[in-house]
Amino acid sequence: MSAFGLSDTPLDPAALARELASASAGACVNFEGWVRNHNEGKAVLRLGYQAYAPLALAEGERILTEARERFAIEGARCVHRTGELAIGELAVWVGVSAAHRDAAFAACRYVIDEIKRRVPIWKNEFYADGASGWLHPDGTPV
Amino acid sequence: MSAFGLSDTPLDPAALARELASASAGACVNFEGWVRNHNEGKAVLRLGYQAYAPLALAEGERILTEARERFAIEGARCVHRTGELAIGELAVWVGVSAAHRDAAFAACRYVIDEIKRRVPIWKNEFYADGASGWLHPDGTPV
Amino acid sequence: MQYRLLYFASLRDRTGCAAESLVSTAADPRALYAQVAERHGLSLPPERLRVAVNGEFAGWDRSLRDGDEVVFLPPVSGG
Amino acid sequence: MQYRLLYFASLRDRTGCAAESLVSTAADPRALYAQVAERHGLSLPPERLRVAVNGEFAGWDRSLRDGDEVVFLPPVSGG
């Protein structure tokens, strides 16, 4: 099974977490990215995500492989939403299981940081004032 | 509602996470401590947790209050199991929501570290060789 | 004075009870633990324990009052 | 040579299309982007973009072959 996935339908964190279950793991750290109703001082109504799917899947898989190589973890998974999302919806889920919590926290943080930095997915924010904008991570429009 | 709880019945992470839902939060980090089938090289069959409940509840609540004071978070919750647990069962759940992930990761880590350090809860491991032992965090028996 | 003592984890195993009432002349937890350790053959030195009185952490020199609930807490291991 | 170009995010908005086929003499992504930027009036400089060829990241000097799928990637913003 692929460790990284894209989904154009809502994510089910409980089902995703169950796939990490392991008798030898003592720690599981999950990161959930939720659609926030504000950004940089502007009211946000909803989000849209586009992905260049073949490359996003390959790069996401590479990141999860790196996490398994760098940290003493057992399992690592990530799924990212595409399409239109409402406020409060789950946009990205990362889960890492490990024997000990140090590795689980470090690997989970590594995965979400690298996903945001490297995977070809773009966020379009729709604002309360009618404007919208594709966001660069540094806040500048692109 | 109390932010810290003890439970002698199985925890439901999905229900616990829903209580953190917030339109202004963009990040949620969860830590789950699972019963591991080994410790310090010994095969573990099951665990038992005892708690000094009144003080555990007070100290757990203090830790979650500290987390809200020290980090820019929105919500923080923790529930710890008591009683007998099987391998793979969820022993402790920590959830933190925040506008941004830095604070969510840092606060979640703070909470589980302080819970393990300060809250009067004791773990008894039952080993495959028939022995059992109350554990000190440094691995020495107590 | 009469104290209510609760035992947890290895102290509960060693004393064989979860709670007991004890009449004692000990005026602080330090003196009380010395008596209890001798009575039950406890081997954990006080340096490895914490003290709670009436549900809150307390110092070893805290003045005890009649009816206090005193707990000697082994090193914790939750999580 | 003929290339298949895909556009995402602000580049898709600006070009008005998700994909197009383009006949071009450009031999590498650098030359191809210069042509595409002029054709569609794109303002993002190449320094802010990455390149992918046939579904993998590639350099701006990569030699292109007939039929290659070329994508100019705006700064990503997932998560």
Side-chain angles (χ1 to χ4, degrees), chain A residues 50-52 55 120-122 142, chain D residues 3-15 17-20 22 24 26-40 42-62 64 68-76:
Chain A
Q50 273 179 18
Y52 177 27
L55 183 52
I121 297 174
W122 297 270
V142 293
Chain D
Y3 303 120
R4 172 98 178 145
L5 285 91
L6 306 182
Y7 298 107
F8 293 95
S10 60
L11 294 186
R12 181 178 294 183
D13 290 354
R14 189 65 74 98
T15 61
C17 64
E20 67 176 345
L22 196 69
S24 166
D28 61 25
R30 190 182 310 280
L32 184 60
Y33 183 70
Q35 291 178 358
V36 162
E38 183 169 351
R39 173 186 166 91
H40 290 292
L42 306 181
S43 55
L44 272 176
E47 307 85 69
R48 298 199 64 200
L49 302 171
R50 294 186 74 183
V51 181
V53 176
N54 299 330
E56 286 295 340
F57 290 116
W60 288 94
D61 299 324
R62 152 90 166 241
L64 294 176
D68 276 351
E69 178 182 279
V70 183
V71 187
F72 301 108
L73 305 159
V76 303

Side-chain angles (χ1 to χ4, degrees), chain B residues 59-128:
Chain B
E59 190 70 0
E61 208 65 40
R62 266 193 288 271
I63 289 167
L64 291 167
T65 299
E66 290 165 10
R68 282 188 295 268
E69 289 167 354
R70 286 171 185 235
F71 305 98
I73 62 176
E74 295 207 352
R77 283 215 69 191
C78 176
V79 184
H80 203 297
R81 274 296 307 277
T82 56
E84 298 243 324
L85 281 79
I87 301 300
E89 264 200 273
L90 181 53
V92 56
W93 183 92
V94 180
V96 174
S97 63
H100 301 284
R101 70 187 185 285
D102 268 345
F105 271 103
C108 186
R109 183 63 199 255
Y110 178 81
V111 170
I112 185 60
D113 285 356
E114 295 300 301
I115 295 288
K116 289 170 89 88
R117 200 172 69 79
R118 292 160 47 185
V119 174
I121 298 175
W122 297 271
K123 170 164 48 185
N124 195 2
E125 294 191 337
F126 297 89
Y127 303 113

Side-chain angles (χ1 to χ4, degrees), chain A residues 14 17 20-39 74 87-88 93 97-102 104-106 108-109 112-113 116, chain B residues 14 17 20-39 74 87-88 93 97-105 108-109 112-113 116:
Chain A
L20 293 174
S22 153
S24 51
C28 181
V29 174
N30 301 317
F31 173 82
E32 297 187 359
W34 297 344
V35 178
R36 209 173 47 197
N37 65 5
H38 63 96
N39 192 30
E74 296 208 352
I87 301 301
W93 183 91
S97 63
H100 300 285
R101 70 189 185 284
D102 267 345
F105 271 103
C108 186
R109 183 63 199 256
I112 186 60
D113 285 357
K116 289 171 90 89
Chain B
L20 293 173
S22 153
S24 51
C28 181
V29 174
N30 300 317
F31 173 82
E32 298 187 359
W34 297 345
V35 178
R36 209 172 46 195
N37 64 5
H38 64 95
N39 193 29
E74 295 207 352
I87 301 300
W93 183 92
S97 63
H100 301 284
R101 70 187 185 285
D102 268 345
F105 271 103
C108 186
R109 183 63 199 255
I112 185 60
D113 285 356
K116 289 170 89 88

